[in-house]
Amino acid sequence: MSEKRKFQAIKGTRDLLPPDTELWNRVEQTARQVFTTYGFGEIRPPIFEPTELFARSIGLDTDVVSKEMYTFADRDETSVSLRPEATASVCRAYIEHGMHALPQPVRLFYTGPMFRRERPQKGRYRQFYQIGAEIIEALQQGQGGSKDIPKDAAIDAELLEMLMAFFARLELHSVQLEINSIGDRNCRPKYVELLRAELLKVKDQLGQDSQRRIDTNPLRVLDSKLESEQAIIATLPRISDHLCADCAAHYAELKRQLDLRGVTYKENWRLVRGLDYYMRTTFEITAQGLGSQNAVCGGGRYDGLVELLGGQPAKGIGFAIGEDRLILSLQEAGKADVPKGRDVYIAWMGATAQATAIRIAKVLRENGFRVELPPVEQKFGKTLGQADKLGSRYALILGEDEIASGQWTLKTLADGSQTKFTEPQLLDFLRG
Ligand code: HAM
């Protein structure tokens, strides 16, 4: 006897099902609407790319690249990885399609699954979904340097304004934007050395992870959530006191631009982000009801990344929203309403009534109503019970009497009331 195997979704992955998927679609639709009004076009990059693309952009010492990627050898032995994020892919596509020749900056958004082999928990999955956007601008001759600061900061601020407009459109009001500047290749290395020196002095008091990071990436120690390290971290030097003149000017201008746009934010000097490509502006958005995985969006500026990947010098800034977490947060906030059930259930009896039922079902569907048409005749009692179970708003009753008189009965299931309509009256009524 062959053993019956019960298949289950792989740990950290899950099926998204109706009616939840209606909410997912509403969220993605809202993103499309809002982002389009800010001049963004959609890009759909592939789900796997050469491993080297991610290693080079995100950084070899990051958790994402060193521990979390799904990497495999393709048949020709090239190492490929499922994308853990999409910024690297967007930059690759920008270079590959010569987008530096388009009017700059180029604004692109994407939605889709990402893959990271993290420990699954609430709000953390191995296949998760992001809604992201990137603004990339090739540097023209004579561009760059201090004189670009007002423009760059305005681009950052407009991106953040758009993000907050998106959350507002979803009526998710509990979100908090946190911003920081992590300097650039001028000032950050000096700050990192200072931080490393200070961390070495207190090494014994730090946990294992942070001790390791003193070597590999001292900035990440600032990210630590370990209770015992918090008092020590509070005494560490802050990057805002060590920014070079250009980075300080950029950060000040960003804050001024955010104020100008009425975007509220909180400064968080410990916000360093876990990917290597960032410089200057970094930000995160937290939402309520998510427990420890409360970052619903992260992003920042990544001037230089396109060049690092072999393109012309370019600037960039972008973000990615964790859609799984956003959905959880909307559900917790009671903002997850989606239409449930059917609008109209057609309870028909008799061969003549079936022909009318088929025709009217088509008309109603063409008008955008969700219609349930039972495939075979059923007793009225049973069919109305079914209409109820499906959460239908109305039952349209079509029996021989209704067909003969041309007066159809519409029953409102919530209160059991019934009204007679002719076909045109019915359509007028339903269309409101
Ligand atoms: P990230 O901070 O790694 O940034 O991810 C962005 C968001 O994706 C997080 O804030 C979180 O909401 C969600 N996320 C990340 N990992 C998981 C997971 N395992 N399960 C559920 N949600 C998750 C980036 O990915 C950058 N590419 C953002 C960016 C775009 N920076 C510039 N442009």
Side-chain angles (χ1 to χ4, degrees), residues 64 84-88 110 114 116 118 123-130 132-134 273-275 277-278 283-285 293-302 317-326:
V64 172
E85 59 109 53
T87 308
Y110 49 87
M114 310 291 157
R116 295 183 195 176
E118 296 193 80
R124 197 206 268 155
Y125 309 95
R126 289 178 172 176
Q127 174 170 339
F128 60 99
Y129 295 79
Q130 284 187 344
E134 314 289 348
R273 313 266 308 127
L275 316 169
Y277 49 62
Y278 293 115
F283 56 88
E284 268 181 16
I285 295 176
Q293 302 305 313
N294 66 348
V296 78
C297 174
R301 181 163 273 281
Y302 49 84
I317 180 158
F319 63 77
I321 297 163
E323 197 176 354
D324 308 73
R325 294 184 191 175
L326 173 56

Side-chain angles (χ1 to χ4, degrees), residues 151-171:
K151 186 176 78 172
D152 295 350
I155 287 178
D156 296 2
E158 193 184 60
L159 186 79
L160 291 169
E161 177 197 307
M162 176 176 91
L163 247 178
M164 298 319 271
F166 166 70
F167 286 112
R169 188 75 65 89
L170 292 172
E171 293 180 36

Side-chain angles (χ1 to χ4, degrees), residues 54-74:
F54 301 118
R56 220 197 277 183
S57 5
I58 301 168
L60 278 173
D61 289 329
T62 57
D63 287 351
V64 172
V65 170
S66 67
K67 301 193 238 173
E68 296 169 359
M69 283 207 299
Y70 285 94
T71 298
F72 53 99
D74 206 346

Side-chain angles (χ1 to χ4, degrees), residues 237-306:
R238 303 183 172 208
I239 191 157
S240 50
D241 299 327
H242 298 273
L243 294 175
C244 62
D246 279 358
C247 287
H250 181 114
Y251 191 42
E253 179 61 10
L254 168 66
K255 289 185 280 185
R256 195 186 73 82
Q257 286 273 347
L258 288 173
D259 293 339
L260 199 61
R261 291 156 200 271
V263 176
T264 39
Y265 58 87
K266 203 170 102 188
E267 289 181 72
N268 176 0
W269 70 277
R270 289 176 52 179
L271 204 165
V272 293
R273 313 266 308 127
L275 316 169
D276 280 0
Y277 49 62
Y278 293 115
M279 51 94 69
R280 291 195 177 155
T281 310
T282 54
F283 56 88
E284 268 181 16
I285 295 176
T286 54
Q288 280 172 3
L290 293 174
S292 61
Q293 302 305 313
N294 66 348
V296 78
C297 174
R301 181 163 273 281
Y302 49 84
D303 299 0
L305 177 56
V306 167

Side-chain angles (χ1 to χ4, degrees), residues 398-414:
L398 293 179
E400 270 161 25
D401 291 351
E402 278 82 7
I403 301 299
S405 66
Q407 291 281 323
W408 301 351
T409 306
L410 190 74
K411 179 169 175 159
T412 306
L413 287 151

